[in-house]
Amino acid sequence: KKIGNLLKCHSDCAACCIVISISSPLPGMPNGKPAGVRCVNLSENNLCSIHNKENYPKVCRNFRMNTETCGKNSAEAIKILAELEKKTG
């Protein structure tokens, strides 16, 4: 599923909100988020409760879903983002 050259999020994925580390402060996580830790802003349904709201962090706003980072499904997204985290984290 594409929007222009970007992908739509894979349903029930949230890999970017769990797998990778985020060093900047997030609402409810003032020291950022370690890799492998679920963001406190994720609902039980893996939806961001602050998506596109005023306090939606710039780091999240700037993340772009594409085949290089998210693959073709959530399993690929988890694998790709975990590898990227190992290289950069």
Side-chain angles (χ1 to χ4, degrees):
K1 300 173 186 173
K2 287 192 173 190
I3 303 172
N5 62 352
L6 300 176
L7 293 173
K8 282 180 66 176
C9 284
H10 305 303
S11 62
D12 198 37
C13 180
C16 57
C17 304
I18 300 169
V19 177
I20 59 176
S21 61
I22 299 175
S23 59
S24 59
L26 303 167
M29 301 182 97
N31 297 317
K33 187 194 84 56
V37 173
R38 185 178 177 82
C39 179
V40 298
N41 297 292
L42 275 178
S43 72
E44 291 178 16
N45 299 329
N46 284 341
L47 298 174
C48 179
S49 63
I50 60 170
H51 185 263
N52 283 335
K53 293 186 178 171
E54 188 176 309
N55 60 345
Y56 191 54
K58 186 176 181 179
V59 65
C60 300
R61 194 176 305 276
N62 290 336
F63 183 81
R64 299 288 182 246
M65 293 72 63
N66 58 53
T67 52
E68 290 79 29
T69 57
C70 299
K72 297 176 185 167
N73 54 50
S74 60
E76 283 187 16
I78 290 167
K79 182 179 176 184
I80 292 167
L81 290 175
E83 286 298 316
L84 286 172
E85 181 62 34
K86 276 188 207 175
K87 292 177 183 177
T88 61

